[in-house]
Amino acid sequence: MKPVIALCDANSFYCSCEQVFNPALLNKALGVLSNNDGCIVARTPQLKVLGVAMGTPAFKVREQVARGEIILRSSNYALYGDMSSRFMSVLEQFTPTLEVYSIDEAFADLSGFPPEQLESIGQEMKQRVFRWTGLPIGVGISTTKTLAKLANYAAKKYPATGGAVDLTNPERQKRLMAITPVGEVWGVGRRIGRKLEAHGIHTAGQLANSNRQWIKKQFSVVLERTVCELQGESCLPWEEGGVVNKHQILCSRSFGKRVTTKQELHAALACYISHACEKLRNQKQFAREAIVFIRTDPFNQSLSQTGRSIRLQVPEPTSETGIWLRQLPAALDAMFCEGYEYKKAGFILMDLCKVQGFQGDLLNMDALPDNRPMMSVLDAINRRYGRQILRPASVGFEQQNWHMNQQLLSPGYTTHWQHIMGVKS
């Protein structure tokens, strides 16, 4: 029996999160900005109608913002992360097998449900998520991940579907693929799409009918798998936990202002190390290696350029923040150069392994102390009272130049005690 997979994807997720707590933003041309309020990374349909493309720099729409035609908001990652957790918790009520693919979408295993009930289940998922979180979503159901993505595309593209499409029927798959541009197929993208069109492949249906060996020879084995998936053959494995279990953890930001001192870089990197280790503990993993890096702004060629990185290692895998922090001063001494204006820094945890089942070396005299209970207490306090309530002293306590510019930041409606909305009777 073929599997049945549902892809649940929130519509304009960042914008929808803003609208949930501020109804005045509904049906408005709303955009959410990237780090440091640089470019538009999320758009409502009303903003798309105005011709504002993804990645448009904020300064290019400054006049429209001043006239009130466009509304912009800074990225509120704490709010979006919390809303994502609520979204996923609702989906988990429908199936025990959920693969979180990104912050705003997840694959759900619906195998075993009666075929005639699949579309109504999709509608119930959509309605319950909206009722309990306020987030509008689309649900696409089919027998492979790529076809489920295609069904989700149809759920959002065609309002008559009601936001949920059952694409398990082969004939219905063919009809949809015949009218879907090849560039809308998951994993194709613009560059590959143009190359396929040059070979006369303009629709998803034409791609599905292509010769697999020719596709593999002309393009890649990855696109060959896409063809297999469009033909109903599942080739993409189910990854338990999805993005929860990453192979690397990166914490990096561009600075709000250029940084010129070692002290500021140390504070920024200490903050990133703290965040990365917190993520590592949340997914119940250890790390054996890490990379720390700093660099100037490559887009400003009028300034002197430099960029350096150093690999860090520990005797045994760990998730303790302090272990990595103790290696930071020496690493920064080796990387930092006077006279440069630094724009970005980051910390990457690598060579990850699961905590469960990990066995240390009994003969290793340099084994690290087990400070997991202390880290668990720190994480619990931060989860209850707010992120970074407890943090390493090296991060500092005052607003620093390296913090992101977020001039249009909305309140932390669900993540900050002082910003929780009140109801007056």
Side-chain angles (χ1 to χ4, degrees):
M1 184 177 68
K2 288 188 175 182
V4 178
I5 301 169
L7 175 66
C8 305
D9 182 11
N11 303 341
S12 302
F13 179 65
Y14 287 3
C15 295
S16 294
C17 290
E18 300 286 347
Q19 292 171 330
V20 167
F21 297 96
N22 188 353
L25 298 176
L26 291 170
N27 302 316
K28 297 294 179 65
L30 172 66
V32 175
L33 300 171
S34 62
N35 294 345
N36 295 312
D37 293 345
C39 303
I40 296 174
V41 294
R43 304 165 295 160
T44 59
Q46 293 79 10
L47 186 57
K48 296 177 184 178
V49 168
L50 294 180
V52 178
M54 182 72 80
T56 300
F59 73 86
K60 288 191 174 183
V61 297
R62 189 179 301 150
E63 293 183 2
Q64 291 169 284
V65 172
R67 294 195 298 265
E69 299 172 6
I70 292 176
I71 301 172
L72 298 179
R73 289 288 183 269
S74 302
S75 292
N76 191 336
Y77 297 118
L79 173 65
Y80 307 153
D82 184 69
M83 292 298 289
S84 175
S85 297
R86 298 178 185 218
F87 170 31
M88 301 306 169
S89 67
V90 176
L91 297 182
E92 287 173 343
Q93 298 178 4
F94 291 88
T95 174
T97 308
L98 188 73
E99 179 185 330
V100 181
Y101 182 69
S102 69
I103 191 172
D104 64 342
E105 57 186 330
F107 291 103
D109 183 10
L110 300 184
S111 303
F113 285 98
E116 64 275 9
Q117 295 182 12
L118 290 175
E119 191 157 344
S120 62
I121 291 172
Q123 291 289 350
E124 174 60 24
M125 296 172 83
K126 178 179 182 294
Q127 293 166 10
R128 190 178 299 182
V129 168
F130 184 77
R131 187 165 60 247
W132 289 13
T133 69
L135 295 172
I137 72 168
V139 180
I141 304 171
S142 196
T143 54
T144 71
K145 288 183 176 180
T146 303
L147 286 172
K149 274 272 194 178
L150 195 66
N152 187 274
Y153 162 79
K156 294 184 175 182
K157 176 76 173 178
Y158 305 108
T161 63
V165 171
D166 173 16
L167 202 64
T168 54
N169 184 284
E171 291 302 317
R172 198 175 186 187
Q173 293 171 10
K174 292 179 182 179
R175 289 197 298 270
L176 176 60
M177 286 192 286
I179 60 174
T180 301
V182 70
E184 297 295 340
V185 176
W186 186 33
V188 171
R190 292 183 181 179
R191 184 180 61 82
I192 296 178
R194 287 194 296 267
K195 190 174 179 180
L196 286 168
E197 290 173 354
H199 287 283
I201 300 174
H202 299 277
T203 67
Q206 291 173 328
L207 180 60
N209 294 327
S210 301
N211 181 278
R212 296 184 185 182
Q213 293 303 316
W214 180 84
I215 289 290
K216 181 180 179 180
K217 182 178 179 181
Q218 294 293 326
F219 295 88
S220 66
V221 68
V222 176
L223 191 60
E224 181 194 16
R225 293 195 194 104
T226 299
V227 173
C228 294
E229 289 253 325
L230 289 174
Q231 294 174 352
E233 180 182 336
S234 182
C235 299
L236 301 177
W238 195 274
E239 298 183 15
E240 185 179 354
V243 296
V244 175
N245 294 317
K246 302 176 183 178
H247 301 293
Q248 291 184 346
I249 294 178
L250 165 66
C251 191
S252 174
R253 294 286 187 274
S254 295
F255 303 137
K257 296 181 181 179
R258 294 188 181 93
V259 171
T260 59
T261 68
K262 188 187 298 184
Q263 291 74 20
E264 289 179 302
L265 283 174
H266 187 279
L269 285 167
C271 181
Y272 302 157
I273 290 173
S274 179
H275 289 176
C277 290
E278 181 183 356
K279 293 180 181 179
L280 185 66
R281 292 190 293 271
N282 285 341
Q283 63 187 53
K284 296 179 173 58
Q285 288 188 309
F286 290 145
R288 293 183 176 89
E289 294 185 356
I291 289 179
V292 58
F293 68 87
I294 56 175
R295 67 171 173 81
T296 52
D297 187 355
F299 301 104
N300 191 339
Q301 294 301 317
S302 64
L303 298 175
S304 300
Q305 300 294 320
T306 186
R308 298 187 179 186
S309 64
I310 285 185
R311 184 181 295 266
L312 309 178
Q313 293 181 315
V314 290
E316 284 193 353
T318 182
S319 61
E320 185 190 344
T321 305
I323 299 295
W324 299 106
L325 284 177
R326 284 195 282 275
Q327 299 192 54
L328 179 58
L332 200 51
D333 286 341
M335 294 188 298
F336 180 77
C337 295
E338 292 284 355
Y340 288 94
E341 297 183 2
Y342 292 93
K343 182 61 178 177
K344 189 172 185 178
F347 180 74
I348 309 171
L349 287 167
M350 305 184 303
D351 197 4
L352 309 186
C353 62
K354 292 185 178 180
V355 171
Q356 185 178 11
F358 172 75
Q359 183 175 350
D361 187 352
L362 292 175
L363 301 179
N364 185 4
M365 302 304 294
D366 296 323
L368 299 174
D370 188 358
N371 289 321
R372 277 179 288 173
M374 181 179 69
M375 292 290 101
S376 297
V377 172
L378 182 144
D379 292 339
I381 292 174
N382 285 335
R383 279 194 297 269
R384 181 171 183 179
Y385 296 105
R387 192 175 189 182
Q388 294 292 296
I389 288 295
L390 289 182
R391 58 185 182 272
S394 54
V395 174
F397 301 94
E398 303 295 332
Q399 183 75 12
Q400 303 289 340
N401 286 338
W402 52 268
H403 284 300
M404 289 190 299
N405 286 327
Q406 293 176 301
Q407 301 297 323
L408 304 171
L409 185 65
S410 57
Y413 298 107
T414 66
T415 59
H416 197 291
W417 284 109
Q418 295 179 350
H419 295 168
I420 293 177
M421 300 182 71
V423 178
K424 297 181 179 179
S425 59

